[in-house]
Amino acid sequence: MKGKNVRIFLTGLGTGILFFAAVIVITKYAGIHLFSNGSLADDVWERAKVVEKYIDDYYWKEDISDQRLSESAAKGMVAGLGDKYSTYFTEEEYNEAMNNVNGDYCGIGASLRADTETGRKYIAEVQSGQPAERAGVMVGDELRAVNGTDVVEKSLTETVALIKGEEGKKSVLTLVRTENGNAVTKEITVVCEKIVTQSITSRMLPEKFGYIKISSFNNESVKQFEEAIRGLESQGQKGMIIDVRNNGGGSLTATVDMLDRLLPAGRLITEESRGSGDKVYESTDEEHFDKPMVVLINGNSASASEVFAGTLQDREAAVLVGEKSFGKGIVQTIYSLQKSCGGGLKLTTGEYLLPSGRSIHEVGLTPDVEEKYTGAPENYGGAEDNQLQKAMETLNQKISGQD
């Protein structure tokens, strides 16, 4: 086969077979035995040799590295599970994932959100004093490209990886911003610095209502959450609004610790796991919050943020306001492969159940008070945020009902 026919052949063969070549990386080169009998590994080995020969003999480009092929094969093998939440991480992707868990990283101090219908990326948050703010990046800016690479068709993870990197890395962001009613394109250069993620922000709203925004759950969040609560308590808050809109999740450990801070003794969540069996998490009642609470959610509230909001709803500690959440209630475990073949694996290893025993996976959370967001992206948390206004109204009703 030559020319176009060869490329068609390789596309089909590569899609159907090449992902199994990841086993080669693990079994042949790393010396790790994943199967009790060698039949599958041997079959994959033979198939991979055939694919490799066709690539070597016929593929029209000659600059494809072995590392790229093996990493793509590993990604394909995990993709064969049919689970969109499981993936193989390259070294760079693994480091990025661990940075998100740890809460410190080299980056620009801004977060992104993706429109669920169009895939377009917007600046969701800009941390005060960090590189993005200093360079002129603003909340609500639409990110079109990074260093000339269009990001509309890329995932959030892929887009973030284009920006983040070692300290001193420069990236040119192509942003579209509305100025005086017109769409204006901006080319802004940002430089990566060492940053401790400020995942928790807080302020006092009118009527002495405390407001805490949680953008993600990581190892730094617990301390920041405690500091936010104490700060609002010292100002005499009468009740609290916790905002987990556009929060894609994060660390289960941080989520449990923050729920423990809010709730009296009792069940939090149950983790059903194939590998280690079921595990029940409970609050210790060392401290708990005894004032009315409202939690804001939307369609981008997922995973840990749904566990957080759903547990408070099940325990009747908070009223949920907003829109139905995403519906991701599965346990994800990240495994390091750095001592074997490099990179890492993120695998779905179980499911979360809320205190009532209900699952949120592919179901989501239905708010107690439904309120569709009608504002612009940059108005989240601002004076024109109709969902926040509804949360304040709901909190006022709860406080009045206690009087």
Side-chain angles (χ1 to χ4, degrees):
M1 291 182 288
K2 295 183 179 180
K4 183 178 179 181
N5 289 336
V6 172
R7 289 195 293 274
I8 293 173
F9 172 78
L10 286 174
T11 299
L13 187 63
T15 300
I17 299 175
L18 186 58
F19 69 82
F20 288 111
V23 180
I24 301 168
V25 178
I26 300 173
T27 61
K28 298 292 184 180
Y29 295 122
I32 298 175
H33 302 287
L34 300 181
F35 307 101
S36 56
N37 67 60
S39 59
L40 178 57
D42 290 343
D43 182 56
V44 171
W45 175 253
E46 293 302 321
R47 290 173 184 268
K49 285 194 297 183
V50 173
V51 174
E52 183 180 20
K53 176 173 174 53
Y54 274 98
I55 291 174
D56 288 343
D57 291 349
Y58 299 113
Y59 190 62
W60 69 292
K61 288 185 177 180
E62 298 181 356
D63 59 349
I64 307 299
S65 69
D66 289 344
Q67 179 177 349
R68 178 179 172 183
L69 285 176
S70 64
E71 288 176 342
S72 297
K75 284 183 177 294
M77 183 178 184
V78 180
L81 297 172
D83 176 10
K84 63 182 179 180
Y85 298 113
S86 293
T87 187
Y88 168 81
F89 288 136
T90 65
E91 192 74 17
E92 182 180 53
E93 291 167 341
Y94 173 77
N95 291 334
E96 169 69 19
M98 296 313 298
N99 287 341
N100 290 335
V101 172
N102 295 331
D104 55 49
Y105 64 97
C106 282
I108 65 171
S111 61
L112 291 172
R113 68 174 184 86
D115 186 289
T116 54
E117 294 183 358
T118 66
R120 291 187 173 185
K121 315 297 186 299
Y122 296 91
I123 304 297
E125 182 183 13
V126 178
Q127 296 181 26
S128 176
Q130 300 297 354
E133 184 190 57
R134 298 200 305 269
V137 177
M138 298 176 64
V139 172
D141 286 348
E142 181 186 349
L143 179 63
R144 291 281 181 85
V146 178
N147 295 326
T149 300
D150 187 282
V151 300
V152 173
E153 298 299 326
K154 293 187 177 296
S155 67
L156 279 177
T157 299
E158 291 170 332
T159 303
V160 169
L162 291 173
I163 301 171
K164 285 185 179 179
E166 295 182 356
E167 197 166 0
K169 176 186 175 181
K170 293 183 179 181
S171 297
V172 178
L173 309 183
T174 302
L175 302 166
V176 176
R177 179 182 304 166
T178 301
E179 293 183 350
N180 300 319
N182 298 315
V184 179
T185 300
K186 304 276 187 179
E187 298 282 345
I188 296 179
T189 300
V190 290
V191 181
C192 288
E193 295 180 5
K194 183 73 177 218
I195 294 173
V196 174
T197 304
Q198 189 65 38
S199 59
I200 309 288
T201 57
S202 64
R203 68 180 191 273
M204 187 66 80
L205 300 173
E207 301 188 56
K208 289 290 185 178
F209 293 165
Y211 173 81
I212 295 179
K213 168 67 177 176
I214 307 174
S215 58
S216 65
F217 293 88
N218 59 56
N219 294 344
E220 296 288 337
S221 302
V222 180
K223 180 175 69 174
Q224 293 173 12
F225 188 61
E226 175 62 29
E227 290 172 351
I229 293 176
R230 288 184 179 179
L232 294 170
E233 288 287 89
S234 69
Q235 298 176 60
Q237 69 173 341
K238 296 180 180 179
M240 188 161 61
I241 297 170
I242 301 177
D243 189 348
V244 294
R245 292 174 298 177
N246 302 318
N247 179 330
S251 165
L252 173 65
T253 300
T255 306
V256 168
D257 287 346
M258 291 160 69
L259 285 169
D260 188 19
R261 172 61 181 85
L262 295 174
L263 293 170
R267 177 169 294 196
L268 298 177
I269 61 171
T270 300
E271 179 182 340
E272 292 188 336
S273 174
R274 172 187 175 186
S276 55
D278 296 354
K279 183 175 182 180
V280 177
Y281 295 87
E282 297 189 348
S283 44
T284 62
D285 202 24
E286 292 179 4
E287 287 186 281
H288 69 268
F289 187 77
D290 58 2
K291 296 183 176 72
M293 281 188 287
V294 170
V295 178
L296 280 164
I297 62 172
N298 67 4
N300 290 320
S301 301
S303 194
S305 63
E306 292 178 284
V307 169
F308 181 85
T311 297
L312 291 173
Q313 185 183 45
D314 267 17
R315 294 281 299 269
E316 299 183 347
V319 175
L320 304 192
V321 173
E323 298 166 83
K324 188 174 181 180
S325 65
F326 183 82
K328 180 172 181 263
I330 50 178
V331 182
Q332 303 254 251
T333 305
I334 297 177
Y335 299 96
S336 172
L337 303 180
Q338 294 184 328
K339 292 184 178 179
S340 53
C341 60
L345 278 176
K346 180 174 72 171
L347 292 177
T348 300
T349 55
E351 182 177 21
Y352 298 122
L353 300 179
L354 297 180
S356 63
R358 63 175 170 146
S359 169
I360 56 177
H361 191 57
E362 298 183 344
V363 177
L365 297 169
T366 299
D368 302 294
V369 179
E370 296 195 34
E371 179 78 7
K372 184 176 178 61
Y373 185 71
T374 58
E378 62 269 22
N379 289 333
Y380 275 107
E384 298 180 17
D385 183 343
N386 63 293
Q387 289 181 329
L388 179 56
Q389 296 301 317
K390 177 61 72 171
M392 293 176 65
E393 177 186 319
T394 303
L395 186 58
N396 190 48
Q397 291 170 353
K398 284 183 63 67
I399 292 172
S400 299
Q402 288 185 345
D403 293 340

